[in-house]
Amino acid sequence: MRRPNLSNTVLAAALMLLGGAAIARVERTEARSGYLTPGAFDVLAILPAAPRPGDPRAIADRAIFRATRALVGTARWAMATNDVKLAPADMMRDFSCATGILLTPQIAPRTATLIARASFDTARGTGIAKNFYKRQRPFLIDQGTICQPAADVADSYDYPSGHTTAGWTWATLLAELAPDRATPILARGRAFGESRVVCGVHNASAVESGRLSASATLTAARDVPAFKADLAAARDEMDALRRDPRTPKPAPAQCSREAALIAQRID
């Protein structure tokens, strides 16, 4: 297959993964973009090819989709439904228990800016791969209930998972800003991707490739001076928030319930 150039259509699809508020924050930055120039990194050279019908990965995807329909209506299903939302305020709320403070874009604007710009890059890479492989979503292959309106996702592709890419971008960078909290932060990021399997809108292989797409793209951005500067500013901000006794904390009971759901196996 011929690799596509980054068209306006593909870029628009990638930006949709960020959510409107995140895009607005990106547009307020001086560069009005992510950290990487288009074409600076080839995610298609990194990702494994999307599974083909009948191969072992595709067979596993089908089995996992059918098995996880048993989670419809459970507390894990409710978490997956919550994890559909990608706005910065929603993502910060979802990672608050993991970081140990009640994050909002208002109290952590430098952190929000860092992750929004990095998410521009990771979403763009995943958007290119989606458009290249054009793999159908699981609920279009097998019948089963999904946790969001089919019309929201039926006209886009499965591989890699854009929500997983977004969640893993947040998890990776937050873990770098609060390394002593890396275990719960990365566990929440893993569960955020698994929510797409529970939701029934992505295959397990698409979730795995979404994490890889995010990790590889972030690695490519590490040496960009603007990324380094924003990372340092966000680290200072996070350190100050975590030291300040006035910084609000998430409710312990809520965090205990969330930890139990994160520990639940999805396979």
Side-chain angles (χ1 to χ4, degrees):
M1 296 178 69
R2 185 180 178 184
R3 294 185 178 184
N5 293 324
L6 181 62
S7 66
N8 289 336
T9 300
V10 175
L11 181 56
L15 289 174
M16 285 178 64
L17 302 174
L18 293 173
I23 295 170
R25 184 171 292 280
V26 167
E27 290 180 343
R28 286 196 294 270
T29 66
E30 182 178 349
R32 295 180 179 272
S33 67
Y35 297 106
L36 295 170
T37 58
F41 177 69
D42 185 5
V43 74
L44 290 174
I46 307 300
L47 295 180
R52 295 178 179 272
D55 74 22
R57 292 164 70 213
I59 292 169
D61 281 342
R62 304 275 57 73
I64 291 169
F65 173 80
R66 291 190 293 268
T68 51
R69 295 316 85 211
L71 295 171
V72 174
T74 66
R76 188 61 184 85
W77 178 264
M79 173 183 271
T81 303
N82 169 81
D83 288 350
V84 171
K85 300 183 287 291
L86 288 177
D90 296 310
M91 299 298 285
M92 284 189 160
R93 181 198 63 233
D94 292 342
F95 280 94
S96 288
C97 285
T99 56
I101 60 175
L102 200 58
L103 286 171
T104 68
Q106 290 72 36
I107 71 167
R110 292 176 178 176
T111 299
T113 295
L114 167 73
I115 299 177
R117 291 193 68 185
S119 294
F120 187 105
D121 293 320
T122 58
R124 179 168 57 195
T126 285
I128 290 170
K130 277 178 178 285
N131 192 63
F132 181 71
Y133 287 112
K134 293 182 170 63
R135 191 186 186 206
Q136 277 190 309
R137 291 178 182 266
F139 69 91
L140 296 175
I141 302 171
D142 296 318
Q143 290 188 343
T145 303
I146 62 175
C147 80
Q148 65 184 111
D152 291 352
V153 290
D155 61 349
S156 61
Y157 300 115
D158 171 59
Y159 187 94
S161 163
H163 272 71
T164 301
T165 297
W168 200 245
T169 300
W170 277 87
T172 300
L173 293 176
L174 286 174
E176 188 154 352
L177 299 179
D180 59 309
R181 300 287 299 178
T183 295
I185 290 170
L186 292 170
R188 182 65 179 97
R190 182 258 304 155
F192 193 90
E194 288 175 346
S195 285
R196 302 309 281 167
V197 177
V198 175
C199 191
V201 295
H202 276 297
N203 287 297
S205 62
V207 169
E208 292 166 2
S209 65
R211 293 191 196 109
L212 177 56
S213 181
S215 293
T217 304
L218 289 173
T219 298
R222 293 285 173 183
D223 204 39
V224 175
F227 177 87
K228 291 185 191 178
D230 285 353
L231 182 67
R235 183 179 287 116
D236 289 344
E237 176 181 76
M238 186 68 70
D239 287 345
L241 286 170
R242 298 181 69 211
R243 286 194 305 266
D244 190 339
R246 297 169 298 178
T247 302
K249 305 293 192 297
Q254 174 189 341
C255 293
S256 294
R257 289 191 295 271
E258 179 180 287
L261 294 173
I262 290 170
Q264 185 175 341
R265 286 180 59 90
I266 305 298
D267 56 18

